[in-house]
């Protein structure tokens, strides 16, 4: 089997190399000082790769300056330009970055023209040694793909294979591929199918893993660890991003945990992390649910953060793939004040069980939130808006709500959402039912309440 690698600056990914940890700036690219400052914070936190949005041609020169600033300050972290629609922008920025992230299907509505524009970009990338990530998301496959293959995990993989084969025809191999979804089941299945397809064609390119628009807090972390760990367990994946609607620096320790757990020998990892298998008692309580399989897991964790990561990766893959039916989390952890917190007495064990089941799409105990992490296109306080929407809607059940940063990318990425809340800029919000706008130009202060009113009318 031919396992290929990608060279991103001085970093090699793929074919057994250490799993690289990525994050993305949420500052405006035109603000060179703010973006440079954020990049330095990311470097010092241990990011292996940093992505910066490049919405249009005016952003090319600021991005070039940002990369130059970072290099002048002594940091050699690879910089990735995030492109969504403009092949001209991708071609213009390719000489000044280490990788460009594109969805070639967005280059032009005519497929042949999109292919031609991709071929031009690949020639520029060859000249400058720039890597390319083909990034397809479940919510933005495009009409040609959905008409041809449907809107399924297999369609995502088939669409990616079309672009991979075009790159091969152009003799371009410095390539990374991603297939993201906010739905962990869809995301995992899409990557598995693509991995199988690449192996059948004897060309296994590096894969970048992530659960897109995962949200924030415990839910965003658990959802990401569940989906990513299910693939890394199978040795699928070479670089990861835990996308959170928070300060992007907060994503890095979550990615580092995954890299440490799956880049090294498993026994070495558990010995170094104070998380030992002997601390976990597995009890087969099959009789509790007839033919089902239910387990009790006992943890004694050094911190709540460590507990959350461990239980998500220990049990998420089995729950996601329905190899087990439930897990009861018991034991304790040490809080930030050095106190021992009993998981049963505090109720946190039951809370983590609910979060795990929802992340694995097994049982929903609250609304399912989709929220992008924000980037240079975001034109409002995304983190504040997300918290306001959650405050208004947290009592609801069996509803999927998307909170998105911009009208450029947001509506297309809300594939799984019943309702969408999208920032327009200038203090206004658009509210969507599915992908159809039902209220436009709603003042931000009123928008969470208006969203709740619309949802409750449908219940």
């Amino acid at each position: 089997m031919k396992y290929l690698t990608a060279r991103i600056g001085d970093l090699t990914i793929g074919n057994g190399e250490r799993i690289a940890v990525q994050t993305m700036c949420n500052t405006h690219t035109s603000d060179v000082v703010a973006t440079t400052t954020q990049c330095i914070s990311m470097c010092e936190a241990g990011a292996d790769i940093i992505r910066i949005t490049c919405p249009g041609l005016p952003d090319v020169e600021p991005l070039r300056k940002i990369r130059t600033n970072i290099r002048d300050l002594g940091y050699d972290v690879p910089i990735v330009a995030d492109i969504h629609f403009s092949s001209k922008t991708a071609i213009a920025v390719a000489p000044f970055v280490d990788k460009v992230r594109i969805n070639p299907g967005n280059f032009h509505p005519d497929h042949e023209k999109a292919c031609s524009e991709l071929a031009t970009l690949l020639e520029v990338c060859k000249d400058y040694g720039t890597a390319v990530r083909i990034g397809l998301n479940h919510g933005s496959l495009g009409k040609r793909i959905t008409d041809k293959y449907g809107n399924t995990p297999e369609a995502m993989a088939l669409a990616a294979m079309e672009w991979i084969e075009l790159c091969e025809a152009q003799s371009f191999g410095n390539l990374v591929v991603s297939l993201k979804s906010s739905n962990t089941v869809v995301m995992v299945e899409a990557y598995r199918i693509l991995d199988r397809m690449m192996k059948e064609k004897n060309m296994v390119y590096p894969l970048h893993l992530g659960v897109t628009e995962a949200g924030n807090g415990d839910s965003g972390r658990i959802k990401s660890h569940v989906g990513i760990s299910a693939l890394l367990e199978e040795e699928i994946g070479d670089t990861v991003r835990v996308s959170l609607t928070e300060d992007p620096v907060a994503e890095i320790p979550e990615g580092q945990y995954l890299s440490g757990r799956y880049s090294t020998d498993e026994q070495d990892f558990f010995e170094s992390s104070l998380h030992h298998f002997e601390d976990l008692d597995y009890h087969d309580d099959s009789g509790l649910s007839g033919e089902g399989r239910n387990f009790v897991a006992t943890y004694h964790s050094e911190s709540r953060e460590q507990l959350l990561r461990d239980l998500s990766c220990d049990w998420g893959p089995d729950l996601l793939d329905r190899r087990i039916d439930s897990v009861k989390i018991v034991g304790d952890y040490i809080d930030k004040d050095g106190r021992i917190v009993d998981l049963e007495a505090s109720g946190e064990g039951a809370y983590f069980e609910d979060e795990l089941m929802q992340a694995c799409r097994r049982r929903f105990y609250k609304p399912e939130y989709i929220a992008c992490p924000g980037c240079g296109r975001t034109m409002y306080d995304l983190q504040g808006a997300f918290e306001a929407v959650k405050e208004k809607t947290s009592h609801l059940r069996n509803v999927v709500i998307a909170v998105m940063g911009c009208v450029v990318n947001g509506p297309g990425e809300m594939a799984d959402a019943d309702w969408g809340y999208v920032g327009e800029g200038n203090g206004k919000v658009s509210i969507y039912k599915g992908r159809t706008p039902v209220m436009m130009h709603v003042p931000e202060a009123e928008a969470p309440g208006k969203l709740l009113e619309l949802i409750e009318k449908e219940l």
Side-chain angles (χ1 to χ4, degrees):
M1 186 63 59
K2 185 168 66 173
Y3 289 89
L4 303 163
T5 60
R7 188 73 175 171
I8 307 170
D10 293 331
L11 181 69
T12 301
I13 62 172
N15 194 26
E17 295 286 337
R18 181 181 64 83
I19 296 164
V21 176
Q22 301 194 24
T23 188
M24 183 175 181
C25 290
N26 61 6
T27 50
H28 293 292
T29 307
S30 58
D31 190 337
V32 173
V33 173
T35 306
T36 299
T37 300
Q38 190 171 71
C39 286
I40 298 308
S41 297
M42 293 169 168
C43 291
E44 292 179 347
D48 296 312
I49 302 171
I50 294 174
R51 184 155 47 113
I52 303 172
T53 190
C54 191
L57 289 170
D59 299 287
V60 172
E61 179 59 18
L63 208 162
R64 185 194 67 78
K65 288 180 180 177
I66 292 162
R67 185 176 180 276
T68 299
N69 289 346
I70 294 166
R71 295 292 182 272
D72 289 345
L73 291 167
Y75 298 95
D76 60 359
V77 63
I79 299 298
V80 181
D82 188 73
I83 307 292
H84 276 265
F85 296 103
S86 170
S87 64
K88 290 181 179 178
T89 303
I91 291 164
V93 80
F96 308 118
V97 293
D98 302 289
K99 182 171 73 173
V100 290
R101 180 270 182 192
I102 56 169
N103 177 352
N106 289 338
F107 281 169
H108 200 283
D110 181 270
H111 180 61
E112 294 303 317
K113 290 183 179 178
C115 291
S116 175
E117 291 178 14
L118 174 59
T120 301
L121 171 63
L122 296 179
E123 290 303 314
V124 174
C125 289
K126 282 184 202 176
D127 291 341
Y128 289 92
T130 307
V132 170
R133 169 152 72 98
I134 304 291
L136 278 69
N137 286 4
H138 183 215
S140 57
L141 290 180
K143 188 174 185 301
R144 190 189 72 87
I145 294 299
T146 54
D147 286 350
K148 187 174 181 179
Y149 300 123
N151 190 17
T152 64
E154 185 175 25
M156 295 169 69
L158 286 166
M161 285 302 302
E162 286 188 1
W163 299 118
I164 291 170
E165 289 171 352
L166 191 148
C167 291
E168 291 240 319
Q170 294 291 124
S171 300
F172 186 87
N174 198 12
L175 186 65
V176 183
V177 186
S178 65
L179 298 175
K180 293 187 178 181
S181 173
S182 59
N183 181 322
T184 52
V185 175
V186 171
M187 171 259 192
V188 168
E189 185 62 17
Y191 277 107
R192 285 172 173 163
I193 294 170
L194 178 60
D195 180 68
R196 184 177 69 244
M197 288 179 176
M198 289 195 298
K199 286 175 178 173
E200 288 171 354
K201 292 184 177 291
N202 192 32
M203 52 177 189
V204 183
Y205 284 95
L207 294 175
H208 168 64
L209 306 184
V211 178
T212 193
E213 286 107 29
N216 66 358
D218 294 343
S219 298
R221 286 165 172 79
I222 292 172
K223 192 186 298 185
S224 292
H225 284 300
V226 163
I228 294 170
S229 67
L231 294 163
L232 293 180
E233 272 193 357
E234 300 170 14
E235 299 184 345
I236 297 173
D238 306 281
T239 172
V240 301
R241 180 190 178 197
V242 175
S243 299
L244 298 173
T245 312
E246 300 179 17
D247 182 335
V249 172
E251 300 176 353
I252 297 169
E254 306 306 322
Q256 288 172 329
Y257 171 90
L258 290 161
S259 178
R261 179 170 178 140
Y262 296 103
S263 290
T264 60
D265 179 81
E266 190 175 73
Q267 187 61 40
D268 290 342
F269 170 77
F270 285 114
E271 286 177 356
S272 65
S273 70
L274 301 180
H275 170 211
H276 302 289
F277 274 122
E278 58 261 35
D279 287 339
L280 276 71
D281 300 323
Y282 298 91
H283 305 293
D284 187 351
D285 294 327
S286 300
L288 294 179
S289 63
E291 298 178 356
R293 289 187 301 153
N294 304 277
F295 293 81
V296 177
T298 303
Y299 287 84
H300 304 291
S301 292
E302 62 180 358
S303 69
R304 190 177 186 277
E305 292 81 7
Q306 187 72 20
L307 171 65
L308 181 150
R309 296 163 185 158
D310 289 342
L311 65 88
S312 299
C313 295
D314 290 343
W315 296 99
D318 287 331
L319 286 166
L320 191 73
D321 286 333
R322 298 181 177 268
R323 292 188 289 266
I324 66 173
D325 290 322
S326 69
V327 58
K328 181 178 176 63
I329 308 296
V330 299
D332 52 61
Y333 68 85
I334 301 172
D335 72 10
K336 292 179 180 178
D337 296 321
R339 294 172 297 201
I340 296 176
V341 178
D342 183 274
L343 289 166
E344 286 190 279
S346 67
E348 285 213 90
Y351 163 75
F352 282 129
E353 293 157 25
D354 285 338
E355 285 287 338
L356 260 179
M357 294 296 280
Q358 180 140 340
C360 297
R361 299 275 171 149
R362 298 293 299 272
R363 181 182 70 235
F364 293 87
Y365 82 103
K366 65 178 184 180
E368 176 70 0
Y369 294 106
I370 298 169
C372 70
C375 68
R377 290 182 298 273
T378 304
M379 300 302 292
Y380 74 138
D381 178 10
L382 178 60
Q383 295 178 33
F386 186 31
E387 291 303 324
V389 168
K390 288 199 293 183
E391 184 179 355
K392 282 289 186 183
T393 61
S394 61
H395 62 287
L396 301 173
R397 298 291 183 273
N398 300 315
V399 61
V400 182
I401 301 170
V403 180
M404 309 302 287
C406 68
V407 294
V408 175
N409 203 39
E413 295 294 340
M414 300 188 301
D416 287 333
D418 301 311
W419 296 89
Y421 184 102
V422 182
E424 298 178 5
N426 298 316
K428 301 295 175 63
V429 169
S430 294
I431 299 175
Y432 287 69
K433 182 179 180 183
R435 296 194 185 189
T436 302
V438 292
M439 273 193 182
M440 307 288 286
H441 318 311
V442 183
E444 286 183 35
E446 302 173 14
K450 294 292 185 183
L451 172 66
L452 179 60
E453 288 177 15
L454 289 168
I455 295 173
E456 288 182 331
K457 284 181 182 178
E458 299 287 327
L459 297 179

